[in-house]
Short mmCIF file of all heavy atoms in Angstrom, two decimals:
data_model
loop_
_atom_site.label_atom_id
_atom_site.label_comp_id
_atom_site.label_asym_id
_atom_site.label_seq_id
_atom_site.Cartn_x
_atom_site.Cartn_y
_atom_site.Cartn_z
N GLN A 209 -39.82 -22.02 -5.54
CA GLN A 209 -40.57 -22.61 -6.65
C GLN A 209 -42.05 -22.57 -6.30
O GLN A 209 -42.47 -23.12 -5.30
CB GLN A 209 -40.13 -24.07 -6.85
CG GLN A 209 -40.91 -24.81 -7.90
CD GLN A 209 -40.46 -24.49 -9.30
OE1 GLN A 209 -39.28 -24.36 -9.55
NE2 GLN A 209 -41.39 -24.35 -10.21
N PRO A 234 -33.20 -25.37 -35.66
CA PRO A 234 -33.14 -25.18 -37.11
C PRO A 234 -31.73 -24.78 -37.55
O PRO A 234 -31.04 -24.03 -36.85
CB PRO A 234 -34.12 -24.01 -37.35
CG PRO A 234 -35.01 -23.98 -36.15
CD PRO A 234 -34.19 -24.50 -35.02
N TYR A 239 -28.33 -19.75 -31.29
CA TYR A 239 -29.00 -19.26 -30.09
C TYR A 239 -28.02 -19.26 -28.93
O TYR A 239 -27.37 -20.27 -28.68
CB TYR A 239 -30.20 -20.14 -29.73
CG TYR A 239 -31.27 -20.16 -30.79
CD1 TYR A 239 -31.33 -21.16 -31.74
CD2 TYR A 239 -32.22 -19.15 -30.84
CE1 TYR A 239 -32.31 -21.18 -32.70
CE2 TYR A 239 -33.21 -19.14 -31.82
CZ TYR A 239 -33.25 -20.16 -32.74
OH TYR A 239 -34.23 -20.16 -33.71
N ILE A 252 -38.99 -31.44 -16.31
CA ILE A 252 -38.75 -30.01 -16.10
C ILE A 252 -38.98 -29.25 -17.39
O ILE A 252 -38.49 -29.65 -18.45
CB ILE A 252 -37.32 -29.74 -15.59
CG1 ILE A 252 -37.07 -30.47 -14.27
CG2 ILE A 252 -37.08 -28.23 -15.43
CD1 ILE A 252 -35.66 -30.34 -13.74
N GLN A 255 -37.54 -22.30 -19.67
CA GLN A 255 -37.73 -21.10 -20.49
C GLN A 255 -36.37 -20.41 -20.55
O GLN A 255 -35.92 -19.84 -19.56
CB GLN A 255 -38.71 -20.13 -19.85
CG GLN A 255 -40.14 -20.45 -20.03
CD GLN A 255 -41.04 -19.32 -19.54
OE1 GLN A 255 -40.59 -18.23 -19.20
NE2 GLN A 255 -42.33 -19.59 -19.49
N LYS A 268 -29.43 -9.32 -38.08
CA LYS A 268 -29.52 -8.66 -36.78
C LYS A 268 -29.85 -9.68 -35.70
O LYS A 268 -30.53 -10.68 -35.95
CB LYS A 268 -30.59 -7.57 -36.81
CG LYS A 268 -30.23 -6.47 -37.77
CD LYS A 268 -31.23 -5.35 -37.68
CE LYS A 268 -30.80 -4.27 -38.67
NZ LYS A 268 -31.50 -3.04 -38.49
N VAL A 272 -35.24 -13.87 -28.02
CA VAL A 272 -36.30 -14.86 -28.09
C VAL A 272 -36.37 -15.64 -26.78
O VAL A 272 -35.43 -15.62 -25.99
CB VAL A 272 -36.09 -15.86 -29.27
CG1 VAL A 272 -36.17 -15.16 -30.60
CG2 VAL A 272 -34.80 -16.63 -29.12
N GLU A 283 -34.70 -37.74 -23.81
CA GLU A 283 -34.04 -36.51 -24.25
C GLU A 283 -34.97 -35.31 -24.19
O GLU A 283 -36.19 -35.44 -24.28
CB GLU A 283 -33.53 -36.68 -25.68
CG GLU A 283 -32.38 -37.66 -25.78
CD GLU A 283 -31.74 -37.65 -27.15
OE1 GLU A 283 -32.01 -36.73 -27.95
OE2 GLU A 283 -30.98 -38.59 -27.43
N ILE A 290 -40.33 -18.33 -29.27
CA ILE A 290 -41.22 -17.16 -29.40
C ILE A 290 -40.42 -15.87 -29.23
O ILE A 290 -39.42 -15.84 -28.52
CB ILE A 290 -42.38 -17.21 -28.37
CG1 ILE A 290 -41.85 -17.35 -26.95
CG2 ILE A 290 -43.34 -18.32 -28.69
CD1 ILE A 290 -42.91 -17.34 -25.88
N ALA A 292 -39.26 -12.45 -27.78
CA ALA A 292 -39.33 -11.85 -26.42
C ALA A 292 -39.67 -10.39 -26.59
O ALA A 292 -38.94 -9.64 -27.23
CB ALA A 292 -37.99 -12.01 -25.71
#
Side-chain angles (χ1 to χ4, degrees):
Q209 176 79 40
Y239 298 96
I252 301 176
Q255 280 189 9
K268 296 186 180 192
V272 295
E283 291 189 14
I290 55 177

